[in-house]
């Protein structure tokens, strides 16, 4: 434990955690994390899995070997504390850009990038800017500013911001355990035109009253066509950070249009074979997935605005309208015949496969393997109010449910870094050390009953208020119903490969995969609310207002290409 003291030092606010002896209250030190199985040797390609990535004028490597500088624990915070690290083992010719930190209650699995200047060949073209060649890509800082300090003494920490030369940007913060200013040789700053702006992300450390805070960072602009690259460093300050406020550090920028570190088609297949997740469906699931072709072959109909009868859809989807926007002119529905309708509504697990979109992430330093799964029908929701569970009749059900999860792969090594679990209108990134695995390095994805949202572990997830115990239940469990995406998949898009992948006809259908529901969904909720005790009615009404509109089935869902994450980053 530490005792928090206030004070002034070097003209800045500073505090000290007075540390008891280590043998009384030792802080746990994170241990390195390793995937369950070794990473295979990938098929031959260009830069994927080679350990280095060209960014144009810069070449970067990922450093995962660290030397502990300083650890601390908050007076009223997690007892495990946080640790700040200096990257070590940097290859000759490369330079440190900043330090790393993380909480002690998770395995050590971070990274920071180290960089060196490249010399392009006479035939190489990579710049999309006007640069003055008299200015090198990397330069030493002029000096450092002390951001925050724990005062002098044993076990104290000092946080330093590199002051870059004019026209350059600092990439990260340095930490020392003495009050001596770091040497300018310790780190390099990057020429401003080789950088992008970054923003704060997760809070790692915060003092009482938030007088000092530490965050992870990420590029402000993220997505398939964005060039910003996370350096892996952290940001800290003693002042309030507003939304969209430019930080005093930046991230890197990839100016190599070839994206040479992205995997080729053979490497993509190898990555999916090695990391393809097994998707488990609930043992009581009665709205199973199917292939898109099975859906079309078994009677799905295309409706056009103004026409009473629907048109059968060709098994390839070749008669679906291509391109355009979701203007309400077309939609898909189940067959009209009751038996055929029930059959399609139940889905067909044997035909189900994952539809894969491969795209660059974080400036081409990562590859996102986005795996889409199609269910012909989304079942009604299960409402939880305290100890009561109420199965809805209509709310939550709709035709044509598209869900996805995303494997984020490091292009430096080909290592699975994170998995994104899409959950209705949002989702979450989960680090590899918090995943469940099956058959080596294949993660497990649990699909919720009726809603098909993705989760990393079995259990009951409440969409609403955990505190009040009110919301929509997402029940997940392992069962005999599953799809192994490492073998049952189809690559439907990889734009960066330039036409190597032929996109299926149905992928170009930008309208709704289900009809607009015209019933008044709120009336069903009002009937439930009227039966509740008065003291919970107001809370329930407020929670219902927070539910996403797609839960009420007011509009038919659109396909993968109409989703924000097709081009953009995942919501998190």
């Amino acid at each position: 434990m530490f005792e928090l003291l206030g004070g002034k030092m070097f003209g800045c606010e500073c505090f000290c955690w007075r540390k008891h002896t280590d043998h009384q209250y030792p802080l746990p030190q994170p241990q390195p994390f390793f995937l369950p199985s070794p990473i295979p040797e990938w098929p031959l390609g260009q830069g994927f899995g080679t350990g280095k990535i060209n960014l144009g004028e810069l070449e970067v490597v990922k450093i995962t070997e660290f030397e502990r500088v300083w650890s601390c624990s908050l007076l009223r915070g997690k007892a495990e504390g946080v640790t700040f690290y200096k990257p070590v083992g940097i290859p000759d010719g490369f330079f440190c850009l900043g330090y790393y930190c993380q909480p002690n209650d998770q395995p050590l699995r971070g990274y920071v990038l180290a960089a060196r200047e490249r010399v392009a060949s006479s035939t190489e073209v990579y710049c999309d800017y006007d640069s003055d060649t008299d200015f090198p890509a990397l330069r030493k800082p002029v000096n450092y500013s002390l951001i925050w300090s724990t005062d002098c003494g044993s076990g104290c920490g000092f946080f330093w911001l590199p002051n870059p030369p004019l026209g350059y940007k600092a990439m990260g913060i340095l930490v020392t355990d003495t009050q001596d200013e770091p040497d300018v040789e310790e780190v390099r700053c990057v020429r401003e035109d080789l950088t992008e702006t970054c923003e704060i992300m997760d809070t790692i450390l915060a003092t009482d009253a938030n007088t000092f805070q530490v965050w992870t960072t990420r590029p402000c602009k993220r997505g398939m066509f964005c060039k910003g690259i996370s350096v892996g460093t952290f940001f800290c300050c003693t002042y309030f950070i507003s939304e969209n406020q430019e930080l005093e550090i930046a991230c890197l920028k990839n100016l190599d249009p070839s994206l040479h570190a992205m995997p080729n088609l053979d490497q993509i297949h190898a990555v999916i074979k090695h990391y393809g997740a097994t998707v488990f469906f609930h043992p009581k699931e009665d709205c199973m997935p199917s292939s898109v072709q099975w859906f079309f072959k078994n009677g799905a109909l295309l409706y056009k605005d103004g026409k009473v009868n629907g048109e059968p859809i060709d098994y390839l989807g070749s008669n679906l309208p291509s391109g355009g926007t979701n203007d309400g002119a077309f939609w898909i529905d189940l067959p009209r015949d009751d038996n055929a309708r029930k059959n399609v509504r139940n889905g067909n697990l044997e035909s189900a496969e994952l539809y894969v979109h491969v795209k660059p992430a974080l400036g081409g330093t990562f590859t996102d393997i986005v795996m889409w799964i199609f269910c012909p029908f989304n079942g009604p929701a299960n409402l939880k109010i305290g100890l009561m569970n109420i199965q809805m009749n209509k709310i939550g059900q709709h035709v044509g449910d598209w869900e996805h999860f995303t494997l984020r792969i490091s292009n430096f090594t080909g290592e699975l870094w994170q998995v994104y679990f899409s959950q209705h209108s949002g989702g979450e990134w989960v680090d590899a050390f918090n995943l469940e695995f099956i058959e080596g390095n294949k993660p497990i994805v649990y699909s919720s009953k009726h809603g098909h949202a993705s989760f990393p572990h079995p259990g009951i997830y409440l969409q609403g208020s955990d505190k009040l115990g009110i919301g929509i239940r997402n029940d997940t469990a392992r069962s005999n119903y599953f799809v192994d995406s490492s073998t049952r998949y189809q690559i439907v898009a990889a734009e960066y490969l330039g036409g190597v992948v032929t996109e299926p006809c149905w992928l170009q259908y930008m309208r709704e995969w289900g009809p607009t529901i015209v019933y008044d969904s709120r009336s069903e909720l009002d009937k439930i609310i009227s039966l509740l005790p008065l003291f919970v009615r107001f809370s329930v009404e407020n929670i219902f207002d927070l539910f996403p509109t797609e839960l009420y089935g007011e509009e038919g869902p659109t396909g993968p290409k109409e989703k924000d994450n097709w081009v953009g980053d995942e919501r998190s």
Side-chain angles (χ1 to χ4, degrees):
M1 296 291 292
F2 294 78
E3 181 180 351
L4 187 63
L5 302 175
K8 292 272 188 178
M9 185 177 184
F10 301 111
C12 66
E13 292 288 343
C14 51
F15 300 86
C16 178
W17 284 293
R18 185 171 293 158
K19 179 178 168 185
H20 295 276
T21 56
D22 286 341
H23 69 273
Q24 287 179 308
Y25 299 99
L27 286 176
Q29 289 300 300
Q31 298 301 308
F33 168 81
F34 300 98
L35 290 170
S37 298
I39 299 175
E41 185 174 336
W42 304 113
L44 293 177
Q46 293 185 341
F48 179 75
T50 61
K52 298 177 182 178
I53 296 180
N54 295 335
L55 306 182
E57 285 197 43
L58 291 175
E59 183 178 50
V60 292
V61 293
K62 185 172 72 172
I63 306 299
T64 57
E65 185 179 351
F66 299 107
E67 176 184 278
R68 175 186 172 276
V69 177
W70 183 65
S71 299
C72 70
S73 177
L74 295 177
L75 182 65
R76 285 186 291 274
K78 290 185 177 181
E80 295 86 356
V82 299
T83 296
F84 297 86
Y85 298 91
K86 172 183 177 179
V88 296
I90 297 175
D92 290 343
F94 286 84
F95 297 96
C96 173
L97 300 176
Y99 284 10
Y100 172 75
C101 80
Q102 70 163 60
N104 292 336
D105 60 354
Q106 66 186 42
L108 181 59
R109 196 180 180 249
Y111 70 91
V112 293
L113 300 184
R116 72 178 177 187
E117 198 158 355
R118 289 186 66 240
V119 178
S121 66
S122 59
T123 60
E124 197 170 9
V125 178
Y126 52 73
C127 297
D128 62 355
Y129 57 87
D130 294 325
S131 63
D132 188 337
T133 55
D134 291 338
F135 292 91
L138 301 173
R139 287 187 64 181
K140 293 178 287 188
V142 176
N143 52 27
Y144 297 86
S145 293
L146 182 64
I147 302 174
W148 187 82
S149 171
T150 62
D151 209 343
C152 303
S154 175
C156 294
F158 300 80
F159 293 76
W160 305 89
L161 173 68
N163 293 318
L166 185 64
Y168 287 78
K169 289 282 190 178
M171 297 283 108
I173 309 296
L174 275 65
V175 181
T176 63
D177 57 3
T178 72
Q179 64 182 1
D180 298 328
E181 182 175 328
D183 194 296
V184 293
E185 292 286 352
E186 183 68 24
V187 72
R188 290 295 185 270
C189 302
V190 179
R191 203 175 67 227
E192 191 169 1
D193 58 330
L194 305 179
T195 71
E196 291 249 2
T197 56
C198 64
E199 64 186 18
I200 58 173
M201 189 169 58
D202 298 323
T203 301
I204 302 176
L205 183 150
T207 62
D208 290 342
N210 293 330
T211 51
F212 178 72
Q213 296 185 79
V214 178
W215 300 272
T216 59
T217 63
R218 64 183 180 184
C220 293
K221 297 178 181 179
R222 301 175 305 282
M224 184 163 64
F225 300 116
C226 297
K227 301 177 181 180
I229 295 170
S230 177
V231 182
T233 56
F234 65 90
F235 181 71
C236 60
C237 69
T238 58
Y239 54 84
F240 173 75
I241 297 288
S242 61
E243 187 176 355
N244 301 323
Q245 180 175 340
E246 185 172 347
L247 304 183
E248 293 171 284
I249 65 172
C251 65
L252 290 173
K253 183 177 185 179
N254 192 349
L255 294 171
D256 177 12
S258 71
L259 295 175
H260 82 290
M262 292 292 294
N264 60 29
L265 193 58
D266 289 339
Q267 291 169 332
I268 292 172
H269 284 297
V271 167
I272 295 174
K273 179 180 178 181
H274 188 73
Y275 293 120
T278 297
V279 184
F280 281 101
F281 295 89
H282 195 273
K284 295 183 178 180
E285 181 64 79
D286 55 6
C287 299
M288 289 292 179
S290 78
S291 69
V292 170
Q293 287 191 355
W294 182 92
F295 179 58
F296 293 161
K297 286 180 179 179
N298 283 268
L301 299 173
L302 173 67
Y303 284 83
K304 183 177 181 180
D305 189 29
K307 300 284 187 179
V308 176
N309 296 320
E311 175 188 350
I313 303 172
D314 174 80
Y315 80 103
L316 294 176
S318 58
N319 61 327
L320 292 172
S322 179
T325 59
N326 182 24
D327 52 10
F330 296 89
W331 63 90
I332 297 175
D333 203 352
L334 302 178
R336 296 179 66 92
D337 178 77
D338 287 343
N339 289 331
R341 192 176 184 89
K342 182 179 179 181
N343 177 54
V344 174
R345 174 175 171 152
N346 291 338
N348 182 265
L349 187 63
E350 290 72 24
S351 70
E353 59 185 353
L354 280 295
Y355 300 104
V356 180
H357 179 208
V358 187
K359 61 177 184 176
L362 297 177
T365 54
F366 288 86
T367 295
D368 276 359
I369 309 286
V370 189
M371 294 196 153
W372 293 91
I373 191 160
F374 175 73
C375 296
F377 197 78
N378 193 93
N382 190 353
L383 179 65
K384 177 178 173 59
I385 303 177
L387 298 177
M388 294 189 300
N389 291 288
I390 306 170
Q391 182 65 58
M392 300 288 96
N393 293 322
K394 295 181 179 179
I395 294 176
Q397 68 179 18
H398 56 79
V399 175
D401 189 26
W402 280 103
E403 300 291 344
H404 77 281
F405 58 89
T406 299
L407 311 177
R408 179 156 285 180
I409 309 296
S410 169
N411 288 346
F412 287 98
T413 59
E415 182 181 5
L416 174 66
W417 200 253
Q418 293 175 305
V419 174
Y420 182 81
F421 294 83
S422 176
Q423 298 156 3
H424 304 299
S425 57
E428 60 176 332
W429 282 108
V430 177
D431 292 315
F433 54 77
N434 282 326
L435 298 172
E436 293 182 21
F437 290 92
I438 189 171
E439 297 180 6
N441 293 335
K442 299 175 182 177
I444 294 176
V445 173
Y446 293 92
S447 179
S448 65
K449 181 175 178 284
H450 281 182
H452 309 125
S454 300
F455 294 92
H457 305 288
I460 299 174
Y461 298 83
L462 196 63
Q463 184 181 357
S465 171
D466 287 319
K467 182 177 180 180
L468 296 174
I470 300 171
I472 298 298
R473 283 180 52 148
N474 289 274
D475 291 36
T476 64
R478 192 179 295 203
S479 73
N480 293 326
Y481 305 129
F482 64 87
V483 179
D484 181 359
S485 69
S486 70
T487 58
R488 292 167 60 179
Y489 70 92
Q490 179 186 157
I491 299 175
V492 296
E495 292 90 342
Y496 72 92
L497 289 178
V500 172
V501 175
T502 301
E503 298 185 2
C505 298
W506 57 260
L507 190 61
Q508 317 309 322
Y509 173 68
M510 301 302 176
R511 274 78 174 192
E512 294 167 355
W513 285 72
T516 297
I517 306 298
V518 296
Y519 64 81
D520 180 11
S521 60
R522 185 62 193 233
S523 64
E524 187 177 354
L525 296 175
D526 289 338
K527 290 178 183 178
I528 296 171
I529 293 173
S530 66
L531 299 175
L532 299 175
L534 288 173
F535 69 92
V536 297
R537 287 186 190 178
F538 180 72
S539 297
V540 171
E541 290 177 348
N542 286 344
I543 293 298
F544 286 157
D545 290 338
L546 297 177
F547 289 158
T549 56
E550 59 264 31
L551 185 67
Y552 301 122
E554 295 172 355
E555 295 182 353
T558 53
K561 267 201 169 182
E562 276 287 292
K563 308 297 186 186
D564 292 341
N565 72 299
W566 185 268
V567 171
D569 198 10
E570 304 287 1
R571 298 180 185 178
S572 58

